[in-house]
Amino acid sequence: VQTELGNRSFVILPDSTKIWLNSRSKIHYQTDFGKDDRQVFLTGEAYFDVAHHQKPFIVKVDALEVIVHGTRFNISAYPDDNQIYTCLEEGKISLKKDSQEYLSAEPGQLVVYHKQTSKFDITQVNAPEYSSWRQNEMYLHAESLQYLAKKLERIEIVFTPEELGNKIHYSGIFTDESIEEILDAIAIASDLTYIKKGNRYEIKIK
């Protein structure tokens, strides 16, 4: 099951587990899912509402395995991101790297795996904010414009000069705004401007 750029999907697995897929994301699983195990492979971002079962539910993403025992959580693991974000909303999960168990997470915790260093960080957060994309909401807490660019439905955004994307940070909540409305708000707040060329946006200093 996969989504294209700017689209989202909802799927119910044979065990009644519900999965919401964000833009440009994909899951795949075996045709005999649930017979011997419950295992799915994820690329991109998804929210899981896992059905209770004797067999553990496993999400494989990159070098990580997330082992689940009936729970709700969000995973963001796009190939072009340097981190994998796993935010637990309810229940219990444990994470393995290269088949070795590293840590477990409690509700309200965000686990960040840094691909380049193979290190984990855990912080306490408001978990529903990390799956708010399902309701067309986006929460930003002093995030860089580069981070925001990746969250805007994965559209193409470039910065002039290039380092601008990591220099300016923004906090706010967006609900159902279009991409242009979000960029307008940021441009006003940060004294920037942007130019649209097809599906490509260039953000620069006025």
Side-chain angles (χ1 to χ4, degrees):
V1 180
Q2 65 181 14
T3 58
E4 301 302 326
L5 185 66
N7 295 324
R8 295 171 185 159
S9 293
F10 172 73
V11 61
I12 300 178
L13 299 184
D15 67 344
S16 298
T17 289
K18 300 174 183 177
I19 303 177
W20 288 258
L21 279 178
N22 206 350
S23 172
R24 211 183 70 184
S25 300
K26 177 174 66 176
I27 61 164
H28 67 273
Y29 53 91
Q30 300 297 328
T31 54
D32 60 352
F33 174 89
K35 183 179 179 180
D36 296 319
D37 58 39
R38 297 192 299 162
Q39 183 171 272
V40 299
F41 298 82
L42 169 68
T43 302
E45 184 168 23
Y47 178 84
F48 294 83
D49 185 350
V50 178
H52 287 273
H53 197 279
Q54 290 182 344
K55 297 183 180 70
F57 189 95
I58 299 174
V59 182
K60 289 199 169 187
V61 50
D62 204 79
L64 296 183
E65 287 186 12
V66 180
I67 298 91
V68 184
H69 299 278
T71 190
R72 296 186 179 96
F73 63 102
N74 194 82
I75 300 180
S76 180
Y78 286 97
D80 53 351
D81 287 347
N82 292 323
Q83 292 85 25
I84 295 173
Y85 301 88
T86 305
C87 190
L88 181 60
E89 193 170 306
E90 180 183 303
K92 181 181 178 181
I93 59 174
S94 56
L95 288 89
K96 288 185 177 181
K97 181 181 179 296
D98 299 326
S99 299
Q100 295 184 355
E101 186 165 343
Y102 270 68
L103 51 85
S104 59
E106 298 179 357
Q109 288 186 330
L110 172 68
V111 180
V112 181
Y113 172 70
H114 302 274
K115 296 179 183 178
Q116 295 179 340
T117 61
S118 297
K119 301 295 185 183
F120 290 90
D121 289 326
I122 300 180
T123 55
Q124 202 71 29
V125 297
N126 182 14
E129 292 184 6
Y130 287 81
S131 61
S132 61
W133 53 267
R134 294 180 300 138
Q135 291 83 39
N136 293 322
E137 295 179 347
M138 180 169 58
Y139 288 78
L140 301 172
H141 301 287
E143 308 289 358
S144 70
L145 292 186
Q146 187 67 56
Y147 174 88
L148 173 63
K150 291 182 178 182
K151 283 295 183 181
L152 289 177
E153 299 292 357
R154 318 303 290 189
I155 62 172
E156 183 181 3
I157 295 180
V158 297
F159 298 94
T160 306
E162 186 176 342
E163 59 269 18
L164 182 66
N166 291 313
K167 280 187 175 181
I168 296 179
H169 294 71
Y170 189 85
S171 296
I173 303 172
F174 295 106
T175 304
D176 289 326
E177 284 88 352
S178 67
I179 292 171
E180 282 79 10
E181 288 172 331
I182 293 174
L183 294 180
D184 284 341
I186 292 171
I188 293 171
S190 306
D191 199 28
L192 301 172
T193 187
Y194 69 91
I195 300 172
K196 180 182 179 182
K197 298 178 180 178
N199 292 322
R200 185 174 183 267
Y201 295 82
E202 180 185 2
I203 300 176
K204 58 185 181 179
I205 300 172
K206 285 184 179 180

